Amino acid sequence: MERFNIEDFNQHSENGSRRWTTADSTVIEEHSYAAGYARMEVPKNSLFQQYSLFYKNGNGKEQGLLFVRGNFQKGTWHYYDESGRLEKTVDYDQPFGFTYEDLVKYCSSNNIDLHESHTFIDKRTAPQPEWDITYLYNGKNRVVTLDGKTGKKLKEVDQDIIR
């Protein structure tokens, strides 16, 4: 886990935040908050951001991939103590037998555009692994719930859009 460059952040931030785009079009945001610092890196056209939290001393606290329009962590995340030692790793893809990659194929075959700004993906592990896909359909929000182990459609509901 890298260290957060506090001096560079303090020199270039305004009101506790800064944002810039790299030569390869990756958007990077950094923020200070009560317990330390946060950095989000989103490569061009990516649906995931590399999300990192840091302690006040600049040492890493946690790091992993976070879906940009939804509520889920992907893959293995790393968690550190304040001295920078790895405390634990958590594989957030478990216990999903129907993976994110399977979900992408499902969306493609059902004409659901994951890059559309009104499409959101969430996942839950309790009481059982499930995926929720929310997208615009005929002027409403359609929510499709898939079994996280098999990919079987469990539920499909249309909801009015709240404005």
Side-chain angles (χ1 to χ4, degrees):
M1 176 81 180
E2 65 183 287
R3 285 186 46 80
F4 189 81
N5 189 331
I6 297 169
E7 183 178 322
D8 184 61
F9 176 79
N10 288 338
Q11 287 178 350
H12 297 98
S13 67
E14 186 173 314
N15 296 321
S17 296
R18 72 178 187 160
R19 176 187 169 117
W20 71 97
T21 304
T22 64
D24 69 355
S25 298
T26 297
V27 175
I28 301 174
E29 289 186 32
E30 294 179 338
H31 305 278
S32 63
Y33 67 104
Y37 302 92
R39 176 185 298 131
M40 290 75 66
E41 299 180 32
V42 184
K44 183 178 182 178
N45 297 322
S46 178
L47 291 171
F48 289 92
Q49 62 181 314
Q50 181 65 45
Y51 183 79
S52 304
L53 290 180
F54 301 87
Y55 292 100
K56 279 280 193 201
N57 65 10
N59 286 340
K61 183 175 185 177
E62 65 183 71
Q63 182 178 50
L65 289 177
L66 190 63
F67 193 68
V68 295
R69 279 194 318 279
N71 180 31
F72 74 89
Q73 297 161 295
K74 182 176 183 345
T76 302
W77 278 56
H78 299 86
Y79 296 87
Y80 303 86
D81 67 17
E82 200 162 350
S83 69
R85 284 189 301 259
L86 182 65
E87 286 187 316
K88 68 178 180 175
T89 59
V90 177
D91 182 354
Y92 286 102
D93 293 343
Q94 296 298 322
F96 286 79
F98 189 78
T99 67
Y100 171 75
E101 290 73 20
D102 295 327
L103 183 88
V104 169
K105 291 176 190 171
Y106 174 90
C107 289
S108 178
S109 67
N110 287 278
N111 297 314
I112 300 169
D113 182 359
L114 290 173
H115 289 275
E116 204 278 323
S117 64
H118 292 90
T119 302
F120 297 91
I121 306 294
D122 294 310
K123 75 178 186 181
R124 292 181 299 285
T125 56
Q128 67 183 32
E130 292 179 350
W131 292 100
D132 284 331
I133 309 163
T134 304
Y135 63 101
L136 287 180
Y137 184 78
N138 288 338
K140 294 191 177 238
N141 279 329
R142 173 160 285 174
V143 181
V144 175
T145 301
L146 303 177
D147 183 291
K149 291 192 180 210
T150 66
K152 178 184 175 191
K153 186 189 300 184
L154 301 174
K155 183 171 45 171
E156 182 174 271
V157 178
D158 289 340
Q159 302 171 337
D160 290 331
I161 296 173
I162 299 171
R163 297 186 194 266

